[in-house]
C-alpha cells in the first residue's frame, strides 16, 4: 500500500516533465556527472543521478526567486539556527515540484526502484530534535508562503552522533552523512569570510570625544558557504539554506612539516575543522565549553558579514537595514549575533554606537524555546573575554545602557536590576545569552500559549516588566507535506478521495474530515492504513532488533530527546507496574500493548543515559517472561532520526506527551502524531493545551498536575516519599527497579534514579504516577471500543490543520518580520 500514492496533479508540472524526458535526463546525469554506464551503475549512482535531475529543475526556480526578490526589493528574512534537522530531501523535493510519480516510472523504465534508492539517501545530521526539525519545517513553509528567506547554520561534518546500543547502554559513534559528498549543495567559494578569536582590542582616538576600536584577533579561520535549495509547495518559491564550513588560513605549516613535526604541522587545520565537525560537543569540560562558544560565534559572524554584504549590494547605507532585513534568532545559540552586529556596524562600517544599537534592536527578533535555566546559555566572563574581547566590551556597554535606563526611568530596585543584567553576579560571573538576545531584539516570542505566559512570569519576568510590549506568542507548527503527504501517503490519498484537494493548500480545510469520523466504512479504511503502517514498523523492529511485535497490539510510542523533564522514566515505571499487574491477574482481559521508545541522550547527561539503559533492561525481562503471554512488549529503537520518525509516527496508536507541566515549551511530535491519527495521552504542557482546545477535550487524554500546581508544590514543599508509600503499584515498581530485578548483574545500577524520586522528585514522577496509570487504563477502555477509538483518532487528524507551520510562518511574517 505504501507505494500507490501518486502526485501528478499535486503541483503544476514543470516543463519537459514527461517520463521519457526524465529517463533521458537520468541517463545524461549518470553518464556526464557521475561517469557511469547504466550497465554497471550501482543503486547509489542512481540515487545521485535522480537527485541531480531534481536539483537542476529546482535551480531554475531558485534563480527566478532570487531575481524576483532583488527586483521587487522584498524584505528578506534570515533565520539563524544552530540546528536544521532536514532529514532526507529527495521525496520532499519531488513532491513539491510535482514529479514524484513521473520520476518513479522513469526510474522503473531503467530498471530502478525509487523506493530502494530513496532509502540510501543519508539523513543530514544537522540537528538534535524539535528545535532543528522546527527550523527545517520553517524553511519549507517560508518558501511555501512566499517569504524570501535564508537559513543560516553550520555544515557539520558528523553532526549529532549515531546511536548504537552495547548491552543496553547508549554508545555514541560519528554520523558520516557527508562521507560520500552531498549532491544537493553548491559550494560558494566567493562567499568566504574571516572569523577571528582571541587577541586584543586597540583603542584609537579620532577626535576630542571619539574613539575607534580595532579588534586584532590572535587566531583566524575562513568560513565558506555551502548552499542547499529549499523548495516550497508547488515550487512557488525556492529559498536558500546556507551552511558554513571552516577552513584554516594556512592548511599546513610547511616549516613544521619539513622539520619532521608532521602532526603539529596540521594543528591549524585541525583546530579550524573542529569548529564544524560535531553538533553540541560535550560541554562538561572547559575545552568543550570553549568549542561550543567558538562554534556559535563562527556561524553568527559569518552569517552577519554575509547579510551586511548583501544589503550593501542593494542599498547605499545601513539606515534601511531594519526595513530590508529581519534576523530571527532561533533560541539562545545565536545570541552573540547581537554583539557581533553592533561590532560590525561600529568598528568595520563606522557607525556610532547608539545608531548601531538602535539598528540591531530593530532588526533582530528572538524565539525562546525553553524555560530551563541551564538551557538559557551563559558563558563564564573570563572565557568570553579571552575568546571575544571586543564583544565583551560591547556587552558591558549594552548592559550599562540598559541598567542606567532601568534605574533612571523605571525606578527598579536592586534585585530586579540583578535579574535584568546581562552579567550573572551570583557566584561565578557569567554572560547571560538569553538576556542579551532579549534586550537586543524588538520581538521575543514563545512557541505555545502556555510557554509564552510562563516566560513572562519566570525566566524573563523582570525584563518583561521593563519592556512589556516585546513578548508575544507564535505557537509552533509542522509541515503537512513532510508529516502527512510524505510519511503517510495512503492516509493522504484516503483524505483526498474523501474531501478533495483543498487541504493540500490550506491545511485547515482538513476539518471537512470531521464528517467522516463516525462513518464505519471510512473507519475501516482508516484502520487498514494504520495496520499497514504498523506492519511496516513491526518489520523494521524485527529486522533491526530481532524483536517480534504484534501489529494487532496497541502501539504506544514515545520518541523524543531523552531528558528527565520529558519523563520517559514515568513511562518505564508504569510499564513495570503494568507488568506486575498482568502477572498477578492473568484472569483479566488486558489490552495487548507495545511500548516503543526512541531518542538520544546528551553524551554527558548521566541520568538520561541511565534511563535508556533502564528501558532496555526492563525490555529484556518483560519481553522474555512467558507469564506475560505477549500482552506487553517494551522496545527501545536505536538511532532516532527523521527517517525513523517517518516510520514510527504513522504507526502510532497512542502518542506519549507526558512532560512535567510547565517545562515543555511546545513540542511538535505531539502535532505529528495527532495529524497521523494517534490518540494523545499527555499533561497540560506546551502545545498540548492548544491541541486539547482544537481537537476537543473528549478526543485527548489529559492527566496530572498543571503548571501552576507544579510551581505551587515546589514552592510549598513536596513530599514524594509519602506519595510513594500511599501508592502500592508505584512503591512496588520502584522497589523492583532499585533492588535489581531488572539489573541482576548490578543490583545497585538504578538506585540513584529511584532515590532521586524518593528524595526530591523534581520532575513530579511520583506526584503524577497514579493519575498517569489511571489515564492509561482509560486509554485501554477506549481501545476496546473500536468505533469510539477511530472516531476520536479521525477527529484528531481532521482538527490538526491549524498546527501547520504555514500558519505559524504567516504569523511571524505579518506580526514580527513585516515581510
Amino acid at each position: 500500500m505504501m507505494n500507490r500514492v501518486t502526485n501528478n496533479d499535486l503541483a503544476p508540472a514543470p516543463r519537459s516533465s514527461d517520463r521519457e524526458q526524465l529517463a533521458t535526463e537520468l541517463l545524461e546525469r549518470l553518464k556526464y556527472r557521475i561517469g557511469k554506464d547504466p550497465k554497471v551503475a550501482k543503486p547509489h549512482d542512481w540515487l545521485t543521478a535522480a537527485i541531480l535531475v531534481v536539483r537542476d529543475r529546482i535551480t531554475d526556480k531558485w534563480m527566478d526567486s532570487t531575481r524576483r526578490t532583488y527586483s521587487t526589493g522584498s524584505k528578506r528574512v534570515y533565520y539563524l539556527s544552530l540546528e536544521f534537522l532536514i532529514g532526507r530531501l529527495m521525496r520532499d523535493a519531488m513532491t513539491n515540484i510535482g514529479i514524484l510519480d513521473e520520476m518513479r516510472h522513469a526510474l522503473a523504465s531503467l530498471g530502478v526502484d525509487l523506493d530502494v534508492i530513496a532509502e540510501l539517501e543519508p539523513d543530514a545530521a544537522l540537528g538534535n530534535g524539535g528545535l532543528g526539525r522546527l527550523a527545517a519545517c520553517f524553511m519549507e513553509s517560508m518558501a511555501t508562503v512566499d517569504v524570501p528567506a535564508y537559513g543560516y547554520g553550520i555544515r557539520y561534518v558528523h553532526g549529532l552522533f549515531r546511536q548504537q546500543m552495547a548491552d543496553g547502554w547508549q554508545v555514541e559513534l560519528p554520523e558520516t552523512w557527508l562521507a560520500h559528498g552531498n549532491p544537493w549543495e553548491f559550494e560558494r567559494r566567493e562567499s568566504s569570510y574571516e572569523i577571528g578569536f582571541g587577541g586584543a582590542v586597540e583603542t584609537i582616538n579620532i577626535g576630542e570625544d571619539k574613539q575607534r576600536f580595532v579588534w586584532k584577533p590572535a587566531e583566524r579561520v575562513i568560513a565558506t558557504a555551502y548552499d542547499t535549495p529549499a523548495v516550497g509547495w508547488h515550487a512557488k518559491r525556492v529559498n536558500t539554506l546556507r551552511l558554513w564550513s571552516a577552513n584554516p588560513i594556512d592548511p599546513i605549516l610547511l616549516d613544521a612539516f619539513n622539520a619532521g613535526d608532521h602532526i603539529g604541522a596540521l594543528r591549524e587545520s585541525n583546530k579550524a575543522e573542529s569548529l564544524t565537525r560535531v553538533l553540541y560537543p560535550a560541554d562538561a569540560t572547559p575545552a568543550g565549553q570553549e568549542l561550543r562558544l567558538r562554534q556559535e560565534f563562527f556561524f553568527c559572524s559569518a552569517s552577519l558579514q554575509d547579510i551586511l554584504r548583501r544589503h550593501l549590494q542593494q542599498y547605499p547605507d545601513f539606515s534601511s537595514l531594519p526595513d530590508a532585513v529581519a534576523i530571527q534568532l532561533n533560541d539562545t545559540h545565536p545570541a552573540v549575533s547581537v554583539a557581533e552586529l553592533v561590532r560590525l556596524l561600529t568598528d568595520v562600517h563606522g557607525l556610532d554606537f547608539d545608531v548601531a544599537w538602535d539598528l540591531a534592536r530593530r532588526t533582530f527578533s528572538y524565539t525562546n524555546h525553553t524555560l530551563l535555566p541551564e538551557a538559557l546559555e551563559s558563558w563564564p566572563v573570563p572565557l568570553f573575554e579571552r575568546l571575544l574581547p571586543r564583544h565583551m566590551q560591547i556587552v558591558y556597554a549594552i548592559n550599562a545602557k540598559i541598567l542606567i535606563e532601568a534605574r533612571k526611568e523605571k525606578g527598579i530596585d536592586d534585585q530586579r536590576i540583578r535579574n535584568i543584567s546581562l552579567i550573572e553576579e551570583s557566584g561565578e560571573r557569567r554572560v547571560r545569552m538569553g538576556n542579551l538576545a532579549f534586550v537586543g531584539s524588538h520581538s521575543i516570542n514563545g512557541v505555545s500559549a502556555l510557554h509564552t505566559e510562563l516566560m513572562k512570569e519566570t525566566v524573563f519576568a523582570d525584563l518583561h516588566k521593563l519592556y512589556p510590549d516585546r513578548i508575544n506568542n507564535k505557537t509552533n507548527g509542522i509541515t503537512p507535506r513532510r508529516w502527512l503527504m510524505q510519511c503517510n501517503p495512503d492516509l493522504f490519498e484516503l483524505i483526498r478521495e474523501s474531501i478533495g484537494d483543498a487541504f493540500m493548500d490550506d491545511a485547515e480545510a482538513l476539518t471537512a474530515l470531521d464528517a467522516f469520523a463516525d462513518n464505519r466504512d471510512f473507519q475501516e479504511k482508516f484502520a487498514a492504513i494504520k495496520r499497514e503502517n504498523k506492519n511496516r514498523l513491526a518489520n523494521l523492529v524485527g529486522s533491526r532488533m530481532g524483536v517480534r511485535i504484534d501489529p494487532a497490539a496497541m502501539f504506544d510510542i514515545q520518541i523524543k530527546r531523552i531528558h528527565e523533564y520529558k519523563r520517559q522514566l514515568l513511562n518505564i515505571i508504569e510499564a513495570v507496574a503494568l507488568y506486575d499487574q498482568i502477572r498477578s491477574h492473568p484472569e483479566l482481559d488486558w489490552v495487548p500493548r507495545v511500548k516503543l521508545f526512541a531518542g538520544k541522550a546528551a553524551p554527558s547527561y548521566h541520568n538520561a543515559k541511565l534511563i535508556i539503559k533502564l528501558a532496555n533492561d526492563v525490555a529484556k525481562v518483560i519481553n522474555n517472561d512467558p507469564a506475560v503471554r505477549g500482552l506487553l512488549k517494551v522496545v527501545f529503537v536505536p538511532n532516532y532520526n527523521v527517517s525513523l520518525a517517518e516510520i514510527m509516527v504513522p504507526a502510532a496508536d497512542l502518542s506519549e506527551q507526558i512532560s512535567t507541566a510547565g517545562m515543555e515549551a511546545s513540542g511538535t511530535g505531539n502535532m505529528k502524531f495527532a495529524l497521523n491519527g494517534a490518540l494523545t495521552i499527555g499533561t497540560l504542557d506546551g502545545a498540548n493545551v492548544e491541541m486539547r482546545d482544537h481537537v476537543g477535550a473528549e478526543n485527548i487524554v489529559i492527566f496530572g498536575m498543571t503548571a501552576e500546581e507544579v510551581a505551587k508544590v515546589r514552592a510549598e514543599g513536596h513530599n514524594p516519599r509519602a506519595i510513594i508509600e500511599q501508592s502500592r503499584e508505584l512503591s512496588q515498581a520502584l522497589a523492583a527497579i532499585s533492588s535489581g530485578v531488572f539489573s541482576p548483574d548490578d543490583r545497585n545500577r538504578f538506585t540513584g534514579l529511584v532515590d532521586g524520586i524518593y528524595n526530591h522528585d523534581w520532575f513530579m514522577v511520583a506526584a503524577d504516577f497514579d493519575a498517569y496509570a489511571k489515564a492509561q487504563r482509560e486509554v485501554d477502555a477506549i481501545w476496546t471500543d473500536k468505533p469510539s477509538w477511530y472516531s476520536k483518532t479521525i477527529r484528531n487528524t481532521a482538527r490538526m490543520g491549524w498546527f501547520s507551520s504555514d500558519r505559524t510562518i504567516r504569523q511571524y511574517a505579518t506580526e514580527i518580520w513585516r515581510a
Side-chain angles (χ1 to χ4, degrees), residues 250-259 261-262 264-269:
D250 297 312
I252 186 170
L253 303 176
L254 278 176
D255 289 347
F257 191 87
N258 291 332
D261 186 6
H262 303 146
L266 298 174
R267 66 177 178 270
E268 294 302 314
S269 287

Side-chain angles (χ1 to χ4, degrees), residues 87 505 558 638 818:
D505 294 305
Q558 187 175 15
R818 310 286 188 237

Side-chain angles (χ1 to χ4, degrees), residues 237-517:
R237 171 175 288 280
V238 182
N239 285 324
T240 302
L241 175 60
R242 175 160 285 189
L243 304 176
W244 299 104
S245 183
N247 298 290
I249 300 289
D250 297 312
I252 186 170
L253 303 176
L254 278 176
D255 289 347
F257 191 87
N258 291 332
D261 186 6
H262 303 146
I263 295 175
L266 298 174
R267 66 177 178 270
E268 294 302 314
S269 287
N270 291 332
K271 199 167 188 178
E273 291 168 7
S274 68
L275 286 170
T276 56
R277 208 164 273 288
V278 174
L279 168 67
Y280 295 144
D283 58 358
T285 64
Q289 292 179 31
E290 179 173 331
L291 179 55
R292 177 85 69 91
L293 180 55
R294 281 175 178 267
Q295 283 185 326
E296 293 178 3
F297 178 71
F298 165 80
F299 106 87
C300 290
S301 179
S303 303
L304 290 171
Q305 290 183 62
D306 198 47
I307 291 167
L308 295 185
R309 186 245 337 142
R310 188 175 298 108
H311 183 80
L312 288 180
Q313 284 181 343
Q314 197 165 5
Y315 301 94
D317 55 42
F318 292 113
S319 61
S320 60
L321 189 68
D323 300 315
V325 167
I327 303 175
Q328 188 73 36
L329 306 176
N330 191 30
D331 216 12
T332 55
H333 309 124
V336 73
S337 296
V338 173
E340 172 66 350
L341 182 56
V342 172
R343 182 191 75 85
L344 291 170
L345 292 175
T346 55
D347 297 4
V348 178
H349 296 284
L351 274 64
D352 288 339
F353 176 83
D354 287 343
V355 173
W357 172 241
D358 179 64
L359 290 173
R361 194 176 52 196
R362 289 162 55 204
T363 302
F364 283 117
S365 47
Y366 161 50
T367 300
N368 173 271
H369 285 277
T370 182
L371 300 174
L372 297 175
E374 66 270 20
L376 289 172
E377 287 184 321
S378 65
W379 301 108
V381 165
L383 168 63
F384 198 95
E385 191 161 24
R386 174 171 57 81
L387 208 60
L388 304 170
R390 177 61 180 135
H391 300 78
M392 191 74 254
Q393 292 178 342
I394 291 170
V395 167
Y396 276 126
I398 295 170
N399 203 38
K401 194 174 187 65
I402 299 301
L403 296 187
I404 290 170
E405 174 191 336
R407 181 74 79 181
K408 286 183 177 179
E409 297 184 15
K410 304 290 182 178
I412 294 177
D413 62 28
D414 289 345
Q415 183 56 51
R416 289 180 61 193
I417 286 287
R418 283 192 290 270
N419 293 339
I420 290 166
S421 176
L422 306 186
I423 308 298
E424 170 66 55
E425 296 283 357
S426 58
E428 178 189 38
R429 278 195 174 91
R430 301 178 73 91
V431 182
R432 291 165 160 165
M433 305 309 285
N435 284 25
L436 177 61
F438 192 110
V439 301
S441 300
H442 68 277
S443 167
I444 295 88
N445 72 278
V447 290
S448 72
L450 174 63
H451 169 237
T452 299
E453 291 308 307
L454 290 173
M455 279 171 55
K456 297 176 183 178
E457 299 167 7
T458 57
V459 290
F460 293 132
D462 290 302
L463 281 166
H464 173 57
K465 290 171 185 172
L466 185 62
Y467 304 109
D469 299 326
R470 292 195 188 180
I471 293 181
N472 60 92
N473 179 57
K474 300 290 174 283
T475 298
N476 283 344
I478 58 173
T479 169
R481 271 79 59 184
R482 175 64 68 101
W483 294 108
L484 178 62
M485 187 182 300
Q486 286 303 305
C487 77
N488 203 344
D490 291 318
L491 178 57
F492 167 72
E493 189 64 23
L494 176 63
I495 294 170
R496 285 187 73 197
E497 292 170 359
S498 303
I499 65 172
D501 292 349
F503 76 99
M504 290 153 51
D505 294 305
D506 177 9
E508 293 192 57
L510 279 168
T511 53
L513 201 64
D514 247 340
F516 294 85

